[in-house]
Amino acid sequence: MMNINKKDLVLVYEDNKRILDKPLESKRIGYYQDSWNRFKKNKASFVAFIIICIILFFVTFGPYMRGYDLNNENPVEASRLANLVPKVPLLDKAGIFDGTKKIEAGKMFLLDMNSNAMGEGIILSGIPQELIDNPDHPDYEDVSKLEVVVDHYRYTNYISSFKPERYYSIVKQNEINGTDDDPLAEVKRTLTQAEFQEELGKNTVIDILQILETENPEDPNKPFFQYIVRLDQFKSSLGVSNPSSVYFWFGTTNKGGDLFTELWLGARVSILMALAVISLNAVIGLTIGSVVGYYGGAFDLIMDRFVEIVSSIPFLSVLTLLTLRFGSAIWVIIFAFVATGWIYNYRIGRMQFYRFKNREYVFAARTLGASDGRIMLKHIFPNTLGLIVTNLALSIPLFVYTEASFSFLGIIEYANATSVGMLINQGVAVMMHHPHLLMFPAGYIAILMIAFNLFGNGLRDAFNPSLRGVE
């Protein structure tokens, strides 16, 4: 044992000096600020949150970014621009989404296209040089089709403006069957004199095939001329002289619509409906569930029996019957999802309030005179917020996926709106020839599902009161 001399001990403070506690220098952090700080530390969830913000930006502004509305203004002309492949500025310089496509077409058609001025620059690779030098080369005598890489925008302009892809096959069928089908019928346009003058002013007329004089429907005494011509499709419809200067970022649909615009219009419909359905489900389910869970008793027993009856009704039956009776109006779809969708929120609210209503801090608040409403909103609800917010965040992609699935199956068919499921349905039908029509809508669904799942997990941890202050 150490022997310490008392004389060696020195008082740090004098006897007449008061020792006071120093105030904490750190700032007070509230519940939501602490939740935000913990959420930011979850890197995966934060990246998912950024992705969701980007998606919401395009859902809001994407439909207005392209300024292309030909499929609504003139569906016939738009159909001539159908199924164009994606082409993105800057990326096309790197050979990604550059508007090129590998196609298989007749040998005679490709050689003819490659040799005339209208077809200049269309074929990028695929035709052997010896076949170009000698179209009757003996090594290719038995070859009827060739696989080549083309500038798909120039190629589409060629077959819709100058000579259709089926030109030589129609000519051959005429020779075999003795028929007189016009091989240029797909590219011929019949114009009135006013329309002809308008197209001349835009310099879109390639050539005049025939001029017809017919009876004037307005004044029989005046001549009435109709002009059968071939028009430069891209110049006439889009006002551009060089098809290579046109960019459709996601390509075009089978009706000639801009897939980028269509996708974000469909996504907007799905997101807005999801928000409406989730809000109604949350308000109805959580309100009833919290009251039932907090008070219990006979009300709890009655509501449980009622919920059992409603939950036993198959959702697919509800949706099918409503759409058969009232059609696929947006309010019908929302009503179908709310009719049984509120039950899950009801069970969460009931379970959470029943779980926390007998905790010590609830007893303390009740002892201090707090009302039931204050206890439910101020003391119990924040402890249930993590599970509720997570459920709401995960409900958005679940609704989008479900709605897209039923749209894909044809159960939901909007009359005046586009949905992502309808786009996927169109893409599946032609996925072997036009994969971009499936790739972009399906990719959007996949990214949305993953992002919201990671985002929901981050919210669950961020709003968990038991993790407050835990590093």
Side-chain angles (χ1 to χ4, degrees):
M1 185 174 179
M2 296 180 61
N3 294 321
I4 300 175
N5 192 345
K6 293 182 180 181
K7 295 181 180 180
D8 295 333
L9 300 176
V10 180
L11 290 174
V12 177
Y13 293 94
E14 298 178 1
D15 294 339
N16 59 352
K17 189 173 183 180
R18 299 177 63 187
I19 301 176
L20 301 175
D21 291 334
K22 293 182 179 179
L24 295 175
E25 297 179 358
S26 60
K27 294 182 179 179
R28 181 183 177 183
I29 298 179
Y31 172 73
Y32 294 104
Q33 181 63 46
D34 182 65
S35 300
W36 171 245
N37 292 339
R38 277 186 280 124
F39 178 78
K40 288 190 295 184
K41 292 178 181 178
N42 190 330
K43 302 300 182 184
S45 298
F46 193 71
V47 171
F49 171 69
I50 294 174
I51 293 174
I52 291 171
C53 290
I54 293 172
I55 289 175
L56 292 178
F57 172 82
F58 281 110
V59 166
T60 305
F61 301 105
Y64 309 110
M65 294 175 68
R66 297 287 298 142
Y68 174 85
D69 199 34
L70 184 64
N71 54 317
N72 294 322
E73 297 173 355
N74 194 334
V76 175
E77 291 298 308
S79 65
R80 299 175 185 270
L81 305 178
N83 302 320
L84 287 170
V85 297
K87 190 176 182 183
V88 182
L90 300 180
L91 292 181
D92 61 333
K93 307 300 181 184
I96 305 171
F97 295 138
D98 56 357
T100 62
K101 185 179 182 180
K102 183 180 288 186
I103 65 165
E104 186 180 70
K107 179 180 70 175
M108 293 179 62
F109 173 78
L110 292 175
L111 290 173
D112 177 56
M113 180 174 64
N114 191 59
S115 62
N116 66 60
M118 278 293 295
E120 183 180 357
I122 294 178
I123 300 176
L124 304 178
S125 64
I127 297 185
Q129 185 61 43
E130 58 267 24
L131 192 57
I132 296 176
D133 298 335
N134 181 15
D136 298 322
H137 197 286
D139 292 345
Y140 299 92
E141 184 177 354
D142 297 329
V143 176
S144 60
K145 290 187 175 183
L146 294 172
E147 194 174 73
V148 297
V149 176
V150 298
D151 182 330
H152 198 239
Y153 286 65
R154 287 178 176 271
Y155 179 76
T156 300
N157 190 48
Y158 181 86
I159 62 175
S160 61
S161 305
F162 189 71
K163 186 173 290 186
E165 198 173 21
R166 299 172 54 247
Y167 179 86
Y168 286 101
S169 63
I170 295 174
V171 171
K172 188 174 182 179
Q173 288 296 323
N174 287 341
E175 294 175 356
I176 296 173
N177 302 326
T179 54
D180 192 28
D181 296 334
D182 188 355
L184 292 177
E186 296 178 19
V187 297
K188 284 183 177 180
R189 318 289 179 85
T190 302
L191 306 177
T192 63
Q193 188 160 1
E195 293 171 339
F196 177 71
Q197 293 298 329
E198 181 182 354
E199 296 297 337
L200 277 180
K202 295 191 295 185
N203 194 27
T204 62
V205 179
I206 298 175
D207 54 13
I208 302 173
L209 301 177
Q210 191 176 0
I211 300 177
L212 302 175
E213 184 176 356
T214 59
E215 184 178 347
N216 194 324
E218 298 180 356
D219 188 355
N221 297 321
K222 292 183 179 180
F224 184 78
F225 295 99
Q226 288 184 314
Y227 298 83
I228 299 178
V229 300
R230 288 190 289 188
L231 299 178
D232 187 311
Q233 179 64 49
F234 274 62
K235 187 181 290 186
S236 176
S237 301
L238 305 177
V240 296
S241 56
N242 181 13
S244 296
S245 64
V246 177
Y247 291 88
F248 286 101
W249 298 342
F250 287 0
T252 58
T253 66
N254 56 358
K255 294 183 180 179
D258 179 26
L259 182 57
F260 181 87
T261 302
E262 297 284 335
L263 176 60
W264 297 122
L265 282 173
R268 175 188 292 178
V269 172
S270 300
I271 293 292
L272 290 178
M273 289 178 64
L275 293 176
V277 168
I278 290 165
S279 299
L280 290 172
N281 284 340
V283 171
I284 297 172
L286 292 176
T287 301
I288 299 175
S290 60
V291 173
V292 169
Y294 185 79
Y295 289 104
F299 186 40
D300 186 11
L301 293 175
I302 295 171
M303 281 303 304
D304 273 355
R305 301 294 80 76
F306 175 74
V307 167
E308 286 177 4
I309 294 172
V310 175
S311 61
S312 65
I313 303 173
F315 168 72
L316 184 58
S317 300
V318 175
L319 178 63
T320 304
L321 290 174
L322 286 174
T323 53
L324 287 175
R325 175 62 181 85
F326 300 104
S328 294
I330 290 178
W331 72 266
V332 176
I333 308 303
I334 293 176
F335 181 81
F337 276 89
V338 172
T340 57
W342 62 273
I343 293 176
Y344 185 69
N345 288 277
Y346 161 82
R347 287 172 175 163
I348 290 178
R350 177 182 177 277
M351 176 186 67
Q352 294 296 94
F353 274 75
Y354 185 82
R355 174 187 175 189
F356 289 107
K357 70 177 182 178
N358 293 323
R359 294 294 176 91
E360 289 79 3
Y361 58 85
V362 175
F363 288 147
R366 188 177 292 116
T367 302
L368 293 172
S371 64
D372 289 340
R374 178 177 176 83
I375 291 173
M376 294 170 69
L377 292 176
K378 192 72 174 177
H379 299 283
I380 299 180
F381 182 72
N383 288 284
T384 67
L385 196 59
L387 184 59
I388 292 172
V389 169
T390 303
N391 170 60
L392 295 180
L394 296 178
S395 297
I396 293 177
L398 180 61
F399 172 86
V400 172
Y401 180 78
T402 305
E403 185 268 345
S405 298
F406 288 121
S407 297
F408 171 77
L409 295 173
I411 297 174
I412 298 175
E413 293 182 357
Y414 301 111
N416 300 315
T418 302
S419 75
V420 179
M422 295 167 65
L423 293 176
I424 293 176
N425 188 17
Q426 296 169 10
V428 168
V430 294
M431 62 182 295
M432 298 302 295
H433 302 287
H434 311 292
H436 69 280
L437 294 180
L438 176 62
M439 178 179 67
F440 289 106
Y444 160 77
I445 292 290
I447 292 173
L448 188 75
M449 294 289 290
I450 294 172
F452 266 102
N453 273 281
L454 293 174
F455 178 63
N457 292 336
L459 288 180
R460 177 196 61 201
D461 296 338
F463 284 106
N464 189 346
S466 64
L467 296 177
R468 186 173 184 182
V470 177
E471 297 296 334

